[in-house]
Amino acid sequence: MEFFCYHRDRAGSLALREELVEEHWSYMDRYEAELIARGPAFGADGETVAGSVHIVGLPDPAAARAFAFDEPNHQAGVYRDVLLRRWRNLLGRTMREFPGGRAGGRRYLVLGLGPHPTAAAAATATATASGPGLPSGVDHDELIAFGPLLSDDATAWLGTAALVRAPDPETARAVLAPHRYAETEVYQWEFGGRR
């Protein structure tokens, strides 16, 4: 099973995050084979860390919760909250297999959260539990990771998470059809892990 985990940073926690960087990386090293994508997301200024993305394959929701909540930054209070959802890897690849590589161009995390209220009934009636598929009109080679956010039992579509290379936030946001979502968030993002 695949899971999307977004730890959102608590305001003023950067010093603690920096103090724990080796503990965080050592923890993530234990999951290297299971990690589909990982890396920090940044606020509007492009410098302030907003959170950390981890997309990981684990056996079940209990293992995913342990992964998310045992993480050293979470245990120490760096994060204010955690978005943890089942996820489906529609690209079938990891960030390491992204054709664009680690460097070059701007990268973004795009979260489409919850069905838009006016589209909720239609989404329930017409969408499968997997949610919408890959976006049309988007170069899939610019997608680093893409998939639906699902309930623990994968029977309900709760949104979509994408990592994308794009020239600007507006272009990144356009990978998700706005009429489908109650809310869309866009953050600058970069490849994480040891280099």
Side-chain angles (χ1 to χ4, degrees), residues 2-192:
E2 297 155 334
F3 295 88
F4 175 87
C5 181
Y6 182 44
H7 291 97
R8 296 176 195 266
D9 277 34
R10 182 176 49 80
S13 64
L14 181 60
L16 181 57
R17 175 189 265 275
E18 290 173 347
E19 179 182 321
L20 295 169
V21 71
E22 184 55 40
E23 285 182 56
H24 167 76
W25 282 350
S26 293
Y27 182 82
M28 289 302 156
D29 287 347
R30 297 175 12 205
Y31 294 94
E32 185 62 32
E34 292 85 9
L35 282 164
I36 295 163
R38 68 187 276 198
F42 299 90
D45 65 4
E47 294 181 19
T48 304
V49 179
S52 293
V53 173
H54 298 96
I55 304 175
V56 61
L58 294 167
D60 54 49
R65 282 189 286 282
F67 168 83
F69 297 111
D70 291 345
E71 193 275 337
N73 287 340
H74 182 270
Q75 289 292 308
V78 170
Y79 305 129
R80 69 176 168 94
D81 61 50
V82 179
L83 172 64
L84 179 63
R85 296 283 184 253
R86 284 273 303 268
W87 188 76
R88 188 163 295 119
N89 187 354
L90 295 184
L91 295 173
R93 66 179 182 227
T94 70
M95 72 180 199
R96 294 175 294 282
E97 299 164 312
F98 171 58
R102 282 185 78 99
R106 295 182 178 163
R107 285 99 195 289
Y108 296 90
L109 162 64
V110 184
L111 294 173
L113 302 171
H116 191 280
T118 60
T124 302
T126 61
T128 66
S130 65
L134 286 170
S136 60
V138 172
D139 181 355
H140 294 174
D141 283 345
E142 296 300 310
L143 297 174
I144 300 161
F146 190 95
L149 300 171
L150 306 168
S151 60
D152 277 358
D153 63 3
T155 61
W157 172 67
L158 305 173
T160 303
L163 298 172
V164 60
R165 179 172 62 184
D168 53 63
E170 295 74 27
T171 304
R173 184 183 303 274
V175 303
L176 300 184
H179 66 278
R180 291 188 183 271
Y181 303 97
E183 181 180 348
T184 304
E185 300 176 9
V186 178
Y187 303 91
Q188 288 187 45
W189 175 84
E190 65 182 39
F191 277 56

